[in-house]
Amino acid sequence: MIAPPGAGKGTQGVVLAEHFAIPHIATGDLLRDHVARATEVGRAVKSFLDRGELVPDDVVLQMVRQALEPLKGGEGWILDGVPRTMEQARALYAIAVELGMTADVALHLQVEDAELVRRLLARAQQTGRSDDTEDVIRHRLELYYEVTHPILEWYGERGILVSVDANRPPEAVGRQILTALEVLRQVIDRGPDAERKPVDLTGLGAAFGRRTQG
Ligand code: ADP
């Protein structure tokens, strides 16, 4: 899953993990857990997290490799929060090729900036995450557009990009994602060589936005 901070990767990641019965691996959660437990990694990354800076690639990639390895030969996985740079994308792809676990789908959640800031400030009041202050939020957003967003083009070229409109309430977004992925699953199950094209559902807003009637 590739999306700006506040787009709902965490929320939708949990929905997807339950639906497909596969693990949800969120690098932000893993890193925050290290910080909370004051491990060696935690002590090394805390200031990066607090400032909304990216932690060094080797730390993240090592963590992700450790999380993926035991899932080899399994039903699948959802990665949330990685890759965040083109370098991470290439390195992750190399790891995934080595493990025979390359991605079937790159899921992009598209959300307007004003909505992102609103959600993150609201979350700040509830969770008290150290990086949910207005200045750090703005910085995380800038970083997203500068180094993360450009990766989408690469997934588009690989034909595995699925973009959804994630401005709406979580249930509506979740329905759109699950619908898209269930349809795609039939193509994916035909085998890795089946021809693929990027799927852009960001214009479908209203069709999925309404609550079920009756
Ligand atoms: P958000 O998407 O809201 O920024 P995350 O929980 O995904 O939240 O990430 C929180 C922080 O964890 C990031 O600001 C960064 O410091 C660190 N982080 C998470 N994933 C990565 C990654 N792939 N590379 C570098 N830093 C990361």
Side-chain angles (χ1 to χ4, degrees), residues 96-146:
V97 167
E98 181 196 321
L99 298 174
M101 300 170 77
T102 52
D104 289 325
V105 170
L107 180 63
H108 166 222
L109 310 183
Q110 187 275 326
V111 179
E112 304 301 327
D113 283 1
E115 172 66 8
L116 293 171
V117 174
R118 193 192 64 71
R119 289 184 191 175
L120 289 165
L121 288 175
R123 182 173 81 186
Q125 306 212 313
Q126 289 165 2
T127 65
R129 241 175 76 167
S130 64
D131 58 351
D132 281 346
T133 59
E134 191 149 2
D135 285 354
V136 177
I137 287 171
R138 298 231 175 261
H139 180 61
R140 282 156 59 209
L141 265 180
E142 279 168 19
L143 206 57
Y144 169 79
Y145 285 111
E146 207 180 301

Side-chain angles (χ1 to χ4, degrees), residues 44-115:
V45 302
K46 181 173 186 318
S47 72
F48 290 91
L49 265 75
D50 289 349
R51 286 177 287 134
E53 297 293 351
L54 297 184
V55 312
D57 285 355
D58 51 341
V59 175
V60 175
L61 292 168
Q62 165 81 359
M63 226 173 53
V64 173
R65 177 191 276 278
Q66 272 174 9
L68 285 181
E69 260 170 354
L71 305 175
K72 210 178 150 175
E75 291 296 307
W77 43 269
I78 295 159
L79 274 185
D80 158 354
V82 71
R84 255 177 159 90
T85 63
M86 201 57 225
E87 291 73 36
Q88 286 186 8
R90 289 205 189 89
L92 185 64
Y93 183 66
I95 292 173
V97 167
E98 181 196 321
L99 298 174
M101 300 170 77
T102 52
D104 289 325
V105 170
L107 180 63
H108 166 222
L109 310 183
Q110 187 275 326
V111 179
E112 304 301 327
D113 283 1
E115 172 66 8

